[in-house]
Amino acid sequence: MKIGIVNASSRFNKARAEAVLAWFAANFPDGSVTASFHPASFGKHGHFGGDDASRANAFAEYANDPRLDAVWFARGGYGSCRIAEAVLPRLTAVARKKRYLGYSDAGSILALLYKAGFPHVAHGPMASDAVRNDPTAWRALNWLRSGDPTSWEPSLAEDPRPAVAFNLSILDALVGTALEPDLTGHVLMLEDVSEPMYRIDRMMFHLTGQASIRKVAGIRMGRVSDIVENDPDFGLTAEEICRYWCERSGISYLGTADIGHDRHNKVVPFGHR
């Protein structure tokens, strides 16, 4: 198997890439599974890992490359929403056959791929996570290789409804744009990182107030980590906030989800499994 790794977002450290490749070499000395970073992954253009054109070109090139079996996002940060619409018209039938895995900022491209009918799209660990924790790396790799259900978020095994997962900040920004997929009847899982609780509350107010989001089957709240302190303390947990806005909007609250910006982040394949 050959995995192509691309950076659609913020600057990416080449030393981290070398560590990821070393992990593959150590675990697959026979070369049965290999990974390669697109050379443009290490570009620099202000905040971004290269300008918009170079990041878009890199993603389209790897997605359309028949020698590669899957596309793995290198990291999150910010930037993929700037290239998503430009990338989609360039993708071929070859690109539709691949698996795509990432989370956080990568959700912008994942959302548009799912909207366009790509069948193998998932929220889950990124390549930069592979050197942080071995189980995390294997969880991602097993899904990229075969869609292994042992990598899935646990509730998916018992709930046959289609599902999606997003970083709350990303989905809140996508609603009403050309990137927003139709989530009617889906179980929606949310997670976030590095936000004060009042912003979590404000985003849930905005998100659950959207007519399109009120068509979901229900919401599960994943982990909200590295919470930014604010004074006074907000006084509610992320789950309590989610439950509150679900009740206000008439959306079913379905409980917690085992996803988040951490090593325990599970894979959520988009749609039916």
Side-chain angles (χ1 to χ4, degrees):
M1 181 184 189
K2 296 182 179 180
I3 300 170
I5 303 175
V6 296
N7 178 19
S9 307
S10 308
R11 292 186 182 190
F12 188 64
N13 189 308
K14 196 166 187 177
R16 176 61 65 87
E18 291 170 351
V20 172
L21 296 179
W23 186 91
F24 275 92
N27 285 279
F28 299 97
D30 61 353
S32 58
V33 180
T34 61
S36 61
F37 282 83
H38 193 284
S41 298
F42 314 109
K44 296 179 180 179
H45 186 79
H47 166 92
F48 305 105
D51 61 27
D52 291 351
S54 67
R55 299 194 327 279
N57 290 341
F59 182 85
E61 181 180 333
Y62 265 21
N64 291 331
D65 190 335
R67 297 169 296 179
L68 298 174
D69 302 296
V71 173
W72 201 6
F73 288 91
R75 61 154 300 160
Y78 171 68
S80 69
C81 65
R82 296 169 62 103
I83 68 172
E85 288 185 86
V87 162
L88 185 62
R90 301 169 58 182
L91 301 183
T92 67
V94 170
R96 286 185 174 269
K97 297 177 181 179
K98 289 184 171 62
R99 294 182 183 274
Y100 298 85
L101 182 64
Y103 69 108
S104 190
D105 184 67
S108 294
I109 291 181
L110 297 177
L112 191 59
L113 293 178
Y114 185 56
K115 180 179 181 178
F118 281 59
H120 304 300
V121 176
H123 175 288
M126 289 183 282
S128 58
D129 297 320
V131 294
R132 296 175 179 171
N133 187 50
D134 245 19
T136 308
W138 283 108
R139 189 181 309 124
L141 181 59
N142 289 339
W143 185 83
L144 285 168
R145 288 196 288 183
S146 65
D148 185 1
T150 63
S151 298
W152 297 353
E153 198 280 335
S155 69
L156 297 177
E158 300 176 354
D159 193 334
R161 292 175 293 188
V164 292
F166 288 98
N167 174 270
L168 171 59
S169 301
I170 298 300
L171 183 59
D172 188 52
L174 296 185
V175 169
T177 73
L179 307 187
E180 182 187 5
D182 182 2
L183 301 183
T184 301
H186 287 63
V187 173
L188 171 60
M189 303 186 195
L190 301 169
E191 48 80 20
D192 217 313
V193 66
S194 301
E195 297 283 357
M197 277 301 178
Y198 78 87
R199 290 185 185 172
I200 299 297
D201 190 77
R202 184 167 61 196
M203 287 187 286
M204 286 301 300
F205 150 71
H206 181 255
L207 192 67
T208 59
Q210 304 301 309
S212 59
I213 298 300
R214 291 188 177 187
K215 295 178 182 178
V216 300
I219 296 178
R220 287 185 175 274
M221 179 55 86
R223 290 178 290 281
V224 174
S225 55
D226 294 333
I227 298 165
V228 177
E229 293 184 10
N230 59 276
D231 185 19
D233 182 71
F234 193 72
L236 294 174
T237 66
E239 185 180 6
E240 289 169 335
I241 290 170
C242 185
R243 188 187 297 274
Y244 173 84
W245 286 110
C246 282
E247 290 175 356
R248 281 276 299 264
S249 61
I251 298 172
S252 296
Y253 177 70
L254 303 176
T256 59
D258 192 5
I259 60 171
H261 275 64
D262 54 43
R263 64 179 58 187
H264 303 295
N265 189 24
K266 302 302 190 297
V267 176
V268 179
F270 284 21
H272 288 284
R273 296 163 295 287

